[in-house]
Structures are given as structure tokens and as C-alpha cells.
């Protein structure tokens, strides 16, 4: 594949990915998930917890 063809393919793929990113950023469900994640991380930091500790509290059998 020529360098020009490779560049055009990469450019087209980038435009497709940017379009998908814009679509996802406008998704209210994604925004809600991101807000939840931010709040959860803040709470975990406030209480000195990491993800493994939270999972072990919520599902003690998962630690086995």
C-alpha cells in the first residue's frame, strides 16, 4: 500500500472515530455513567477505599 493510500485510510478511520466520539459524548446515558464514576471515585478517595475493597464489601464471595 502506498504511503498516500495508507494516509487516506488512516484519515478516514480517524474521521469515523471522531464521529463516534461526538455521538457518545451527546449520549445522556454515557454522561450519567461518567458522573456516577466520578462520584464513586470521589467517595472511594474520601474513605480511603480502592476498587478491590469496594467489590469485596459488595460481594464477599468474589474474593475467594
Amino acid at each position: 500500500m502506498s504511503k498516500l493510500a495508507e494516509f487516506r485510510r488512516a484519515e478516514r478511520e480517524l474521521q469515523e472515530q471522531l464521529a463516534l466520539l461526538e455521538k457518545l459524548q451527546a449520549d445522556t446515558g454515557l454522561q450519567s455513567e461518567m458522573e456516577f464514576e466520578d462520584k464513586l471515585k470521589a467517595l472511594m478517595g474520601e474513605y480511603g477505599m480502592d476498587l478491590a475493597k469496594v467489590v469485596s464489601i459488595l460481594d464477599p464471595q468474589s474474593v475467594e
Side-chain angles (χ1 to χ4, degrees):
M1 179 183 302
S2 75
K3 292 284 183 187
L4 181 58
E6 185 178 352
F7 174 80
R8 297 286 184 224
R9 180 185 54 77
E11 189 176 46
R12 185 180 62 252
E13 290 174 0
L14 177 59
Q15 290 304 318
E16 291 170 359
Q17 290 296 313
L18 288 171
L20 175 60
L21 182 59
E22 284 185 32
K23 180 181 175 185
L24 287 171
Q25 286 176 332
D27 185 321
T28 56
L30 175 62
Q31 291 172 358
S32 294
E33 285 184 41
M34 291 173 67
E35 183 180 338
F36 174 79
E37 180 184 41
D38 291 342
K39 288 179 179 180
L40 178 59
K41 285 180 178 180
L43 279 171
M44 288 168 46
E46 186 177 329
Y47 290 95
M49 299 273 195
D50 61 8
L51 186 56
K53 181 67 175 170
V54 172
V55 169
S56 71
I57 291 170
L58 295 174
D59 186 10
Q61 296 175 350
S62 69
V63 180
E64 295 176 2

